[in-house]
Each structure stands twice: as C-alpha cells, then as structure tokens.
Amino acid sequence: MTERVAIFDTTLRDGEQSPGNTMNAQEKLRVAKQLESLGVDIIEAGFPIASVGDFESVKQIAETLKNCEVAGLARANFDDIDRAWEAVKHAAHPRIHTFISTSDIHLKFQMRKSRDEVLKMTEESVKRAAKYPANVEFSAMDATRSDWDYLCRVLGVAIEAGATTINVPDTVGYTVPDEFAALIRYIMEHVPNISQAVISVHCHNDLGLAVANSIAAVKAGARQVECTINGIGERSGNTALEEVVMILRTRKDLFAFDTRVVSEKIYPTSRLITSVTGAPVQPNKAIVGTNAFAHESGIHQDGLLKARLTYEIMTPESVGIPKSSLILGKHSGRHAFRERLENLGYPLEDKELNLVFKRFKALADMKKDVYDEDIEMIIMDEVVRVPEKYRMVYLSVVCGNMAIPTATVRIEVDGQVHQEAGFGDGPVDATLKAIQKIIKTNSKLLQFAVNAITGGTDAQGEVFVKLQEKGSTVIGKGADTDVIVASGKAYINALNKLEFVKKRKDTDKSPVKSEKSP
Ligand code: KIV
Ligand code: ZN
C-alpha cells in the first residue's frame, strides 16, 4: 500500500522572501494557479500581516483556488493570527500556519523569552487559530537546534490546543539525515498525542542537505514536506519540490509513499518560476536543469540509443520536458495553439489567448522553428506583467566595428509618445541611455543577463535586467529575436515594475512591513 505524503509548497512565501525573488500580486496568482494544477496539497500564499500587498495577494489566491488548501503565515500572536484568518477565510480549504522559535539560542538572543513563556504563547496562539474553521499548523522554528525534550513539550501543547499539523523546521539548514530522522522518531515516541497530528518537515539547504533531510524524515514518519519550486528560498534555499517528488516516484522500490503531484507539470512550473523571478536554474540542477537529461559522453549516448534504461533513471517526458519541443508553425490554427498551451500548463482566457496568438504569428513569420520556450516567453510578456506606464514603440540602432553605437527610441509614457537618441559604449548601452533620456530614473543597474531561449542563430534572446531603487529590487524581462530590442524591453519592463512597486508602497501603510522575514 502506498501512503500519501502531503506537499506543502512555500514558493510564494519562503521562496519569494529571498532577495531578487519578489513577485507582484498578478505574478503570485499565476504561480498559485500553476501550483494548484501541479497538484500540491497546500500553498502557503504569503504572510498576511507583513504588508497590505501581501494580505491582498493571499486573499485573492484564497478566493480563487478550489483544489488545494491555502495557508497564511502568522507569528504566535493574536494580531498576526486574526490577520491571517481574514486573508484565508474565503478559501475552499483555509489553513493558518503559526510559528514560534523553540531553540535556546533564539529564545535568549532574539525573543528574550523564557521556555515557559514560549509554551504559554504556543498554547494561546494555537487556541486562537483553532477557534477559526481552518486547519491549524504549528511550527517550532529552529527545531533542529532545540532541546529535544522541550521541543516535544511544545509540540504536545500545540496539538492539545488544536494544531492538526506540527512542523519541524531545520530553519538554519544545520541538521543531517540520520540526526533528523532520529529527531522525528523521538517526537513520535515522546509526544503522547502525536497521533492526532500530521508531522511536517521544513528544511533549508545551507549544507546542501535539505532534500536528503526531508526524505530521511519521511522514512522516519513525517507525512508532509514543505518545499519550493527550483528550491528557491532564504539563503541557499529550501527543499526542492521537484526532487522530493521524483525521488519518491523513481525509487518506489525503497519508498512506499507518493504525492499527488502531476509530475509532467514540473518542468513548465519550474520555467514559470524562472520567468517570473528572473532567477535562472543552474544547468546541472537535478530534474529541471537544462543539462539534467543531456547526455554528452559517447559511451552514454551509445547506451541510450540501445536502451534508454542504460543511463536514464526517469524520462524527460515524465517531468514535462517535451520530447521535441518544436511546436507549431506559422500555419497553425488557434485551436491547436490553445491545446498546446494547455499541455504546457497555461490555460489562457480568450482575451489573453488572442494577444499571445498574435505575437506567436508575428514570431513564426520571422523565425522558422517556434519552440515551447518561445511561447512561454511571449506569455510572460503579454499575460504575466505589471501595468505599463512605459511602452516601447520603436527602436532603431546603428552599430558595428566602424560606427559609434547610436540608438533612437520612441516610448509611450502614459499614452504620450516621446522620442530620443543616445550614444553608448555598445548598442545596449546606447539603447539604455536613450531610454533614460525619456524615463528619468535614479535606479541602479545591478545585473544584466542575456540567454538564447532555444538553439540556432534565429533563436529569441531572453534578457533579464535587475534594477534597484530606494531599497526595492526588481527584475525586468524581455524577449525578442533581436537581443538589443529584448534588452530595451527588459529595461523598460524593470522600470514599469519599479513604478508599480513605488505606487504599492504609497498605498501600503502596514506598520510591520520591516519585520517580514520569519
Ligand atoms: O525556516 C523556518 O523556520 C520557517 C518557518 C516560518 C516555518 O520558514
Ligand atoms: Zn523557512
């Protein structure tokens, strides 16, 4: 008999919290819908008390999703818990996730509370959460550096007060598989009411052991794993969802557990996170890296041609990497196009489909082969984007080894067209300088990266631009068969995002925003 392990996805909370991974509400909703169709059991949508923006975004996700639980994070106090409930109360399946530290290091240096005080706070806050009709999860932060007997007392009190899931976080990524498994077994043996709750684990990857620790914990008795897509998250990240799911599925001989995840949607979800955050996946990353299924050595290729089993423990198709990602040509119709998008994990509404289809046709006119990755980039451009104060209408560049790089741009600012020209040290520099003449900005360029989305000299270029202004960091993206145009688009997209963040900050008056990181 295969037992179910629940997947609790915290890409939108712990993942989004790490530098450069910030998403806007529209992007978060798109990611949440994708996670729902991926088949995760619980989505931690955010930390509602952290800001008005976080609250609204959790609420919107809670109101939209029907097939998974939606959780809001709360510290162990009444204000946080009430705010989390307000955000998730319209969810089909709401969850309040409250946490407090249990290690002496945190109690002494950060919280300045005694063990008894923390026990009392645990009891009161879980009771507060349990008065709402929601599932209640309790996390003992820094559990792996806590005294085991004290940790067991806290967990017992939390269950007694109404927690239905108790989470054991390795907050600082300190533990190792044997030790973590022993801790889970200890909890099972020493918390008398443990059978009334699901044991969850939440691991960070500081020593590169987050996935190994999570799997060891499952073997020892945990039945919920908290993780993020691509393993994004604080510092070295969190447990990578795709790795946990594929370990359990590939090694059925060792594990009698499975998840509800539709593994074929893993790769499209990973791509979505990369596109939204601009955080690229390292090429050799397990499951979703571009090299994960690329066989370079002659001996391996020879073996694969004879039988895939020789060097492939799972197929690329099983994680949603299309066999041939070549998609449709310029004669393809809307129907086939829509179907392809659905297979890729993007069920678009009619209006969105029209926009994307128009761009696809234009691209197919310029480029012989259009790939899934090209289409995804168009979706990111047309569907998942912030409101546009600035829009590039025209860009012309003169460059070459005998020319002074010169760019002329025309940009619509709030509907009014402006034109300027600029010189630079290269065509990209000239383009950015011309744009800056129209859009006055004090932002600092932190990073500029160009990738070819697919192979071939006619490939679309995908450009990521990271800008910073007054403590806000945003990532702009642009794609085009012309990398200079893609650079201009990415820069303008980043400026639109900064504008959006500024506006949101003006309306966002929450007093606790600066305390956002649990
Ligand atoms: O790492 C951690 O301890 C957390 C908790 C809030 C669960 O993210
Ligand atoms: Zn965490």
Side-chain angles (χ1 to χ4, degrees), residues 236-300:
S236 323
N238 288 56
T239 301
L241 178 148
E242 60 279 4
E243 294 178 24
V244 169
V245 168
M246 292 316 288
I247 288 169
L248 297 183
R249 217 152 275 179
T250 308
R251 297 306 310 269
K252 286 200 181 84
D253 56 325
L254 291 182
F255 305 107
F257 316 108
D258 204 357
T259 68
R260 196 168 76 91
V261 166
V262 183
S263 65
E264 291 77 9
K265 296 200 173 177
I266 285 179
Y267 186 68
T269 311
S270 160
R271 288 281 312 163
L272 176 67
I273 297 303
T274 301
S275 307
V276 166
T277 60
V281 168
Q282 73 192 61
N284 61 329
K285 161 88 179 62
I287 320 292
V288 290
T290 44
N291 290 350
F293 293 91
H295 301 269
E296 194 65 31
S297 118
I299 296 176
H300 287 206

Side-chain angles (χ1 to χ4, degrees), residues 119-402:
L119 267 175
K120 191 159 173 270
M121 285 168 79
T122 301
E123 184 182 6
E124 287 173 357
S125 53
V126 174
K127 273 192 177 154
R128 179 72 165 205
K131 87 179 172 74
Y132 296 117
N135 265 336
V136 177
E137 172 168 337
F138 171 77
S139 283
M141 197 165 173
D142 206 18
T144 50
R145 291 192 300 167
S146 304
D147 174 79
W148 287 15
D149 288 323
Y150 176 64
L151 174 66
C152 287
R153 276 180 68 203
V154 175
L155 297 179
V157 164
I159 297 170
E160 182 66 33
T164 46
T165 300
I166 52 113
N167 186 31
V168 186
D170 184 27
T171 305
V172 291
Y174 178 70
T175 197
V176 298
D178 284 352
E179 180 189 59
F180 200 41
L183 173 59
I184 299 301
R185 281 192 295 269
Y186 194 85
I187 289 169
M188 290 169 75
E189 280 159 19
H190 292 83
V191 177
N193 49 5
I194 194 70
S195 63
Q196 294 165 34
V198 173
I199 301 179
S200 168
V201 287
H202 174 113
C203 298
H204 281 269
N205 204 31
D206 300 67
L207 294 173
L209 289 171
V211 170
N213 288 336
S214 303
I215 295 290
V218 168
K219 271 197 107 167
R223 288 295 174 269
Q224 175 179 292
V225 175
E226 304 201 351
C227 39
T228 60
I229 302 292
N230 298 341
I232 64 169
E234 283 279 289
R235 309 179 308 278
S236 323
N238 288 56
T239 301
L241 178 148
E242 60 279 4
E243 294 178 24
V244 169
V245 168
M246 292 316 288
I247 288 169
L248 297 183
R249 217 152 275 179
T250 308
R251 297 306 310 269
K252 286 200 181 84
D253 56 325
L254 291 182
F255 305 107
F257 316 108
D258 204 357
T259 68
R260 196 168 76 91
V261 166
V262 183
S263 65
E264 291 77 9
K265 296 200 173 177
I266 285 179
Y267 186 68
T269 311
S270 160
R271 288 281 312 163
L272 176 67
I273 297 303
T274 301
S275 307
V276 166
T277 60
V281 168
Q282 73 192 61
N284 61 329
K285 161 88 179 62
I287 320 292
V288 290
T290 44
N291 290 350
F293 293 91
H295 301 269
E296 194 65 31
S297 118
I299 296 176
H300 287 206
Q301 286 178 353
D302 174 63
L304 274 173
L305 288 171
K306 290 176 177 146
R308 286 177 79 162
L309 190 65
T310 49
Y311 290 97
E312 217 166 64
I313 56 167
M314 59 198 150
T315 64
E317 294 81 36
S318 68
V319 296
I321 298 176
K323 199 182 248 154
S324 153
S325 61
L326 180 62
I327 95 154
L328 316 144
K330 66 177 171 185
H331 301 296
S332 312
R334 271 172 64 92
H335 183 72
F337 187 70
R338 182 194 284 274
E339 210 172 272
R340 186 68 188 152
L341 292 191
E342 276 168 16
N343 288 342
L344 280 174
Y346 299 104
L348 299 188
E349 281 158 24
D350 281 349
K351 219 171 100 202
E352 297 168 334
L353 183 81
N354 287 345
L355 284 170
V356 176
F357 190 60
K358 213 165 123 199
R359 277 274 305 267
F360 156 68
K361 283 285 185 184
L363 183 65
D365 269 340
M366 286 192 292
K367 189 174 184 290
K368 195 162 87 0
D369 300 328
V370 181
Y371 294 84
D372 290 338
E373 292 86 339
D374 293 318
I375 300 299
E376 282 175 346
M377 210 57 214
I378 297 177
I379 294 172
M380 292 306 127
D381 249 23
E382 293 293 340
V383 183
V384 187
R385 66 174 177 203
V386 287
E388 287 189 309
K389 180 177 168 71
Y390 315 114
R391 196 174 67 83
M392 188 163 76
V393 192
Y394 167 95
L395 172 65
S396 165
V397 176
V398 179
C399 62
N401 66 345
M402 300 295 275

